[in-house]
Amino acid sequence: GVGRAEAGPRLTASEAQRRRENAGQAGGDARLVEAEVPALRRRLLAGDVLVGRYALKAEIGRGGFATVWRARDNVERRDVALKLLHLHDALDRGRRERFFRGVRVMQRLRHPATVRVLSLWDDEQEQPFFVMDLIEGSNLHEAVVEGRGLDLTAVVSIATIIGEALAEAHALGMVHRDVKPANILLDAAGHAYLTDFDLVRGRDTTGGTRTGGMGTMLYAAPEMVQNGDGADERADIYGLGMTVLFMLFRRDLPYCEIVREPESILARIDCSAEIKRVLLRSIAWNREDRYAKISVFCADLRAAGVETRPIPSRPSLAPARPSERRSLVELGAFAVVAVGLVAAVVMLGARPSSPEATAAVV
């Protein structure tokens, strides 16, 4: 249990779930059960010890349904990353299944650029969590927007190693579906690691998610918005291509411009015409026009990335020239799926204004 003393008996997540279901079947108010779980809903704090082993030290990340802590493994005597499902989600069977589905996929992967899962805990007596290697550093998005320079060699290297990690998942029939800079970690030496398989989909993963677009809007392939469950590895190619473009642009990509006129973004980046050609193919609006295999995309990117000089100062934010490449009708349809998550703009069709807007909540 949690190391800090608590008053009264502790109600487990699974028991609370059973009581909620029984209350609903009996025609009662399942919300009354919530009043019985103050211990379960208690916010964890630094100093708490989980399962008598992992001492929480500091919260290092928080997402829609989980929190990542830096923790001390008192058995192995080293710091680890501990990802903990939010308390209210621990009572939701679907969220719980989704949480552990991604973890079990990560456990099957052996590529060194995939963050290693050390253990998982789905004990009824505990709030669900799993333990990973702690990557000392930051995520790729933070590194780029904070102005840490990445020369072209580093950009191609990061894309290649993450592409190799994704290729292993694809060979096992898995699609990550949420490839983006925030899900790529960089250690102090600049080595890249892929994490967050929470939206993974594959041949042997069923249930636990709703059909529909997922992921972060800017990096989600267009077909993800229409039918996330129908996405294949070309969706990951799109996400990785956008991530490379983000690294080269060195700031958050302007959403409307990159969707309507990616050539205008590339025109403001100082790299070879061959690299631009490779990137345009990787982020093609129609997936039939993209690379079919991520290994081929990475091979072409390596072959094109012959320049080794640092990428110059950030390009300007000059507005894009209107284009018919991606019609306003397509853009409007793409944005409508994100209603409630991004603001609609009444000019040239409704489109999300933030590159980090989530495509859909699952």
Side-chain angles (χ1 to χ4, degrees), residues 98 177-178 180 199 210-228 255 333-342 352 354-362:
R98 169 178 153 184
R177 302 199 301 174
D178 199 18
K180 60 185 179 183
L199 298 186
R210 300 191 189 108
T211 301
M214 300 179 201
T216 303
M217 195 75 166
L218 178 65
Y219 298 93
E223 64 271 17
M224 287 280 291
V225 177
Q226 301 301 323
N227 179 14
Y255 173 77
F334 193 61
V336 165
V337 180
V339 169
L341 301 174
V342 294
S354 169
E356 291 300 320
T358 303
V361 177
V362 294

Side-chain angles (χ1 to χ4, degrees), residues 41-194:
R41 289 196 175 282
R42 180 181 60 80
R43 181 180 176 87
L44 291 169
L45 301 174
D48 283 346
V49 179
L50 303 185
V51 297
R53 176 171 177 173
Y54 301 104
L56 302 182
K57 296 179 72 174
E59 186 177 307
I60 56 177
R62 176 174 288 268
F65 65 96
T67 302
V68 180
W69 285 81
R70 185 187 190 104
R72 182 70 175 177
D73 183 341
N74 290 325
V75 174
E76 296 292 334
R77 297 181 179 179
R78 65 177 180 127
D79 283 2
V80 295
L82 188 149
K83 189 168 185 176
L84 194 73
L85 187 64
H86 290 166
L87 289 168
H88 56 279
D89 290 314
L91 304 178
D92 185 312
R93 180 170 295 134
R95 289 294 176 94
R96 197 177 183 110
E97 289 175 358
R98 169 178 153 184
F99 183 71
F100 283 111
R101 182 173 63 249
V103 182
R104 292 187 175 99
V105 167
M106 291 176 71
Q107 285 184 313
R108 295 172 60 189
L109 302 176
R110 294 292 179 266
H111 194 279
T114 300
V115 175
R116 186 173 56 141
V117 174
L118 304 174
S119 62
L120 61 88
W121 296 83
D122 194 14
D123 192 305
E124 291 187 354
Q125 301 299 319
E126 294 296 331
Q127 189 176 344
F129 68 91
F130 65 91
V131 181
M132 304 173 285
D133 279 331
L134 179 66
I135 307 300
E136 299 276 9
S138 65
N139 67 51
L140 179 60
H141 182 266
E142 293 169 344
V144 171
V145 298
E146 288 172 6
R148 285 176 244 172
L150 294 174
D151 65 24
L152 190 59
T153 299
V155 170
V156 172
S157 176
I158 290 170
T160 298
I161 198 72
I162 296 302
E164 290 175 357
L166 287 167
E168 183 190 21
H170 295 166
L172 294 173
M174 301 295 175
V175 182
H176 188 286
R177 302 199 301 174
D178 199 18
V179 179
K180 60 185 179 183
N183 284 342
I184 296 171
L185 306 180
L186 297 179
D187 66 14
H191 300 133
Y193 302 86
L194 180 65

